[in-house]
Amino acid sequence: PGAAGAAAAPAGVAWSALGADQQLLLRGFEQRWGTLPPARQAALARGSERWLAMTPEQRENAKRRLDRWRSL
């Protein structure tokens, strides 16, 4: 076991590298973005890309599933 067997850690994402729509969607994280772990920045950036690519119907379905999951 060594570095060769370890998965590479995701690189961080600079706030300025996010698109305007992503920044708007993630605005609640703006002030602390630089303190988030790089893996968390990458996950949030990917998630925002997926969200922005969804149709309004897909977004509504995703919201309903999340609400249902939260109520468990």
Side-chain angles (χ1 to χ4, degrees):
V13 178
W15 182 258
S16 60
L18 297 172
D21 288 343
Q22 286 177 291
Q23 288 181 358
L24 184 61
L25 188 62
L26 297 171
R27 65 188 171 275
F29 293 97
E30 182 176 8
Q31 295 302 312
R32 60 181 187 219
W33 188 260
T35 66
L36 294 174
R40 181 74 172 141
Q41 290 176 349
L44 287 166
R46 282 191 313 273
S48 67
E49 288 172 355
R50 285 193 309 268
W51 182 262
L52 291 168
M54 289 181 185
T55 65
E57 182 179 329
Q58 289 171 321
R59 289 178 186 181
E60 191 56 41
N61 287 337
K63 286 179 190 176
R64 275 197 299 271
R65 285 193 308 271
L66 180 59
D67 288 343
R68 221 176 13 246
W69 180 82
R70 285 180 176 161
S71 70
L72 295 177

